[in-house]
Amino acid sequence: MIYNIEFETLPREAIEAIQLRRLKDTIERVYATVPFYRRKFDEAGVRPQDLKTLKELTILPFTTKQDLRDNYPYGMFAVPMDNVVRIHASSGTTGQATVVGYTARDITMWSELIARALAAGGATRGDIIHNAYGYGLFTGGLGIHYGAERLGASVIPISGGNTKRQVQIMRDFGPTILTCTPSYALHLAEVAAQAGIDFSTLHFKSGIFGAEPWSEEMRAEIERKLHLNAIDIYGLSEVLGPGVSSECIEAKKGLHIAEDHFIAEIIDPKTGEVLPYGERGELVFTSITKEAFPVIRYRTRDITSLNPEPCICGRTHVRMNKVSGRSDDMLIIRGVNVFPSQIESVLMEIEEVEPHYQLVIDRVDNLDTLTVMVEVGEAAFCDEVRGLQGIERKIAKNIKEFLGVSATVKLAEPRSIARSEGKAQRIIDRRKI
Ligand code: DLL
């Protein structure tokens, strides 16, 4: 179902007309209300009225995570605190957290985008949504919650954690839509199996998974183990939270960006040059309707490409392909660029291993080393040592063949790699550079 048929199916010219009008408004507003933007625009020699076409967006300077940190906590807010009704913050695993704010109208807009995303993933008002994204400063829990209510569905605000109890509730309450990170979905399946509950006996139709990168192979694995349609949802706190883009169940091929609220660009992360549709690079967003925390050309560090092809679902908004990684997560191992998702794809092709892995990068005698720790399934684990060594060699060979880097592969016992309730911690970089 298309939640907002009018806006989600606008012809291209209409989308662009709306974008230009809203962009001009936003630029004028941030220039007038956020000293940071006024200074940046002045330094770049641009005045808000210079912007006449969408193409001219490129005259505006980029905004980075560092800019947000420099203005911690409220320096980038474009409205007085009186008008701010909600505050969230990004996890800040790599440095200081960034703080974002929402007006009542921002929350209404966000809820609508989540309602659109849930509907695109197959949810209707009759559904029961088991929302296992974490509630709190993280935008996942509350973001999905408000959107689920907006759609008119019933939401179980279970949040992350206490997995055994979650499984019980899934059995007793009969939820039909699951929302959580893809890694947590797999963990739920595992704990359900231990409790003797088969997902095929539950009532799930779809799972709306995001907040971390996951490969197509991981999608197949989740669909097989959880017996549901696994749908991708993307977003980031600085730009909104979940709902910036989301997949449709009809195509499951790329995430429609809410183009009536955001303008997306792909740039070369090194030069900042804008790349044409289809080329892979860093995703950049400009918000064009947000009141409390507008962002201008915000560099997400996420790597993807844009696809303007018409979609079978009827939505006209441009699609971004699945995020293949972050430019700052890209591992450079002895000069070879490797994304964790590429290693994930290789691992998922190997039948004997489970989708739980960690990558350990170290530097020994000035040389980078990559160790891939991956769990074996119960069946293979009971095998002889020789069999296990054979699996290790096969994975190392495939990694070398497909990615061009040598890796030491270590099989780990079933359930020995830490499970996460939110975003999985897959990379341990021990290099001191
Ligand atoms: O993760 C918002 C969110 C919540 C999205 C729930 C989807 C579902 P942050 O904590 O600020 O916000 O982290 C944002 O997570 O820049 C990406 O690197 C990554 N990310 C989010 N969704 C996806 C996805 C939330 N579907 C950062 N695929 C982003 C790949 C994703 N990476």
Side-chain angles (χ1 to χ4, degrees), residues 343 346 372 395-405 407 409:
I343 296 181
V346 171
V372 178
I395 298 173
K397 181 169 158 276
N398 287 1
I399 292 177
K400 177 84 196 170
E401 204 168 293
F402 294 118
L403 309 177
V405 357
V409 177

Side-chain angles (χ1 to χ4, degrees), residues 139-352:
T139 51
L142 283 166
I144 299 290
H145 185 103
Y146 274 61
E149 288 190 351
R150 172 73 175 266
L151 181 65
S154 319
V155 51
I156 306 172
I158 191 88
S159 191
N162 207 343
T163 311
K164 277 195 184 136
R165 183 156 160 269
Q166 298 229 4
V167 168
Q168 233 171 38
I169 286 184
M170 283 179 175
R171 192 193 50 200
D172 298 348
F173 292 15
T176 49
I177 304 283
L178 174 62
T179 54
C180 61
T181 59
S183 54
Y184 192 57
L186 282 170
H187 184 43
L188 278 167
E190 201 172 51
V191 174
Q194 280 160 19
I197 297 169
D198 186 339
F199 256 79
S200 67
T201 64
L202 302 179
H203 304 283
F204 287 113
K205 299 186 303 195
S206 300
I208 319 286
F209 305 125
E212 62 186 8
W214 51 308
S215 59
E216 280 302 332
E217 290 79 5
M218 180 77 94
R219 186 202 310 262
E221 182 93 14
I222 292 177
E223 294 194 331
R224 191 170 61 75
K225 288 195 164 142
L226 279 80
H227 299 268
L228 44 68
N229 278 294
I231 307 287
D232 200 354
I233 181 166
Y234 168 90
L236 62 168
S237 334
E238 297 89 328
V239 174
L240 180 75
V244 173
S245 67
S246 60
E247 266 182 344
C248 56
I249 196 165
E250 292 88 348
K252 282 196 213 165
K253 204 167 185 328
L255 301 89
H256 291 280
I257 294 172
E259 285 191 288
D260 47 340
H261 298 279
F262 305 102
I263 301 176
E265 301 170 273
I266 296 287
I267 62 162
D268 177 328
K270 287 208 185 76
T271 63
E273 179 204 352
V274 176
L275 301 176
Y277 280 147
E279 278 192 36
R280 228 158 70 116
E282 180 180 336
L283 185 58
V284 170
F285 280 112
T286 300
S287 73
I288 50 174
T289 52
K290 283 208 308 173
E291 291 183 331
F293 196 86
V295 282
I296 307 299
R297 303 195 84 202
Y298 183 71
R299 291 188 60 161
T300 63
R301 301 276 163 203
D302 293 321
I303 303 293
T304 183
S305 55
L306 298 179
N307 171 13
E309 303 283 303
C311 183
I312 50 167
C313 73
R315 290 177 185 78
T316 50
H317 293 183
V318 87
R319 280 176 283 174
M320 57 183 255
N321 287 313
K322 251 177 160 346
V323 171
S324 57
R326 294 178 56 81
S327 59
D328 45 7
D329 264 3
M330 187 178 75
L331 303 167
I332 305 182
I333 297 167
R334 279 178 244 154
V336 184
N337 297 353
V338 181
F339 284 106
S341 62
Q342 294 175 303
I343 296 181
E344 179 178 302
S345 296
V346 171
L347 293 176
M348 295 298 97
E349 296 282 320
I350 308 278
E351 210 180 298
E352 295 89 342

